[in-house]
Amino acid sequence: MPSVITSSMRRSRLATIALFFLSGLALAVWVVSIPAIEQRVGITHAVLGGLILLLGFGSFLGMTLAGPFVDRFGSRATALFSAIIVVAAVNLPGLADSPAFLGAALFVLGFGSGAIDVAMNDQAVLVERSYGRPIMSSFHAYFSVGGGAGALLGAGVQALGGTVGLTLGIGAAAALVLIALSYPALVSPNAASGTVSPDTNPGLPLASAPVIDRRATIMILASLAFVIMLSEGTANDWSALQAVDHLHEPESAASLAYGTFAVAMTCGRFATDVVVHRFGPVKVVRLGSVLAALGMLTVVLSPAFPLTLVGWAGAGLGLSGIVPQIFSAAGNLGGANQGVVISRIVGAGYLGLLAGPAVIGWVSQGVGLTLALVLPIVCCVGGVLLAGRVAVASTSSSNASPSGASPSGAQVTVD
């Protein structure tokens, strides 16, 4: 760990926090505006569901294209470009007067959100590397805080009789202010070109992985991101409905199931960095996967709502620190194409986030919703088995040269 954390490093950390916050805020003001927008456009739930898929497709495309852009121009420029898209696009759904307009608006919003996701995670890796200690999880926590702020903003505007356009406009204005203030302090490509020496990062042992090991590590990290975020997506979309279907709770009470999970996730992410610093990322991923699996098993077996809430709290705490370790490992693989690597692993996780709710819905048609939750439990078992690779992945950065060659001279690129 560096002996001195400079003011420049602190400003870069705050700037990256702002990126995560504004990303969560922008998506949240759209989510809370969905009922009003659906009514304004005059569409059914089924049509809306199909249009939301365009947001997912746009996000995945944005993530995919952002990787090469980051490698060519740096994540600082990518963050600015994608944030401008988000600021403009978050207003568009409120202007939609037809399904086609709304679909196009959601695609653009998704594209910007996906691109900034890659850029902000790359910035987080660079800032964490300069600090020489784990701070990745706290960045992800601020995404959740931004989401909460967006939800409160929407609720407040609606309570005062404001329009959906006002909600989205305030959210866009806040995002614009945040990117304007944060951009000057983001890490530039030149500043990020240095490497971390072994003595400044004692928790990351030296390694010189051959090309085939690096590619295998990327595939394993992508698989790990997929299964863990599939579990997250399941909790996000099905926790409240499971309480209604299985325990016959009213919808107002059942919403506490998701609320408990979300609060546990946020609190866990603020606490995870300290745990990683003390015990290392492998134990966090492995034990977190165990805790998440036990939490969801509790939900499956629970005969009472309070016990179900305990289960979702355990699942949220367990999952909270895993994804940040995966992304941190991806960013520390070394090589000239860090942006592409991060975009692929972030994209794989996003696919899991999208696939989880859909797969659970299909499976529940045959075995019921509660038994369908066994699937994310199995995914968490996968997290236990694959946890060791987050340490292997994080070892290459100390040795990789800026040109993308490993110390042994082997080229470390991704095809």
Side-chain angles (χ1 to χ4, degrees), residues 40-56:
R40 171 191 171 93
V41 180
I43 53 178
T44 64
H45 294 337
V47 172
L48 178 64
L51 295 177
I52 289 177
L53 287 177
L54 291 173
L55 185 145

Side-chain angles (χ1 to χ4, degrees), residues 195-232:
T195 57
V196 181
S197 63
D199 59 334
T200 61
N201 209 350
L204 303 181
L206 292 176
S208 176
V211 174
I212 188 171
D213 287 346
R214 186 173 187 270
R215 290 174 180 168
T217 295
I218 293 170
M219 292 180 63
I220 291 173
L221 289 175
S223 299
L224 184 57
F226 180 88
V227 297
I228 294 301
M229 293 187 72
L230 185 150
S231 300
E232 287 188 23

Side-chain angles (χ1 to χ4, degrees), residues 247 295 298-299 301-313:
L247 300 175
T298 300
V299 171
L301 300 178
S302 172
F305 190 50
L307 184 58
T308 295
L309 295 181
V310 171
W312 285 122

Side-chain angles (χ1 to χ4, degrees), residues 259-361:
T260 299
F261 175 82
V263 169
M265 282 277 289
T266 304
C267 293
R269 283 180 170 167
F270 276 118
T272 294
D273 289 331
V274 175
V275 181
V276 174
H277 186 61
R278 176 67 178 84
F279 298 102
V282 175
K283 288 186 178 179
V284 168
V285 173
R286 185 166 290 144
L287 296 180
S289 297
V290 170
L291 178 58
L294 291 175
M296 283 185 276
L297 181 62
T298 300
V299 171
V300 170
L301 300 178
S302 172
F305 190 50
L307 184 58
T308 295
L309 295 181
V310 171
W312 285 122
L317 285 173
L319 292 172
S320 62
I322 299 178
V323 169
Q325 307 320 309
I326 299 171
F327 291 172
S328 181
N332 284 314
L333 268 169
N337 56 345
Q338 175 175 304
V340 170
V341 172
I342 291 178
S343 70
R344 289 183 180 181
I345 293 173
V346 171
Y350 187 73
L351 285 178
L353 196 68
L354 291 177
V359 172
I360 292 298

Side-chain angles (χ1 to χ4, degrees), residues 14-30 78-88 90 109 112-117 119-120 139-151 153 168 170-183 186:
L14 289 173
T16 305
I17 286 172
L19 291 182
F20 278 82
F21 183 91
L22 77 85
S23 182
L25 174 72
L27 287 177
V29 294
W30 142 249
T78 308
L80 177 63
F81 174 72
S82 54
I84 291 173
I85 294 176
V86 170
V87 168
V90 76
L109 177 60
S113 298
I116 202 172
D117 203 340
M120 69 190 188
F139 289 126
H140 285 253
Y142 281 103
F143 177 88
S144 300
V145 173
L153 169 63
L168 297 174
I170 294 175
L176 181 61
V177 170
L178 286 171
I179 189 59
L181 292 176
S182 63
Y183 177 73
L186 293 176

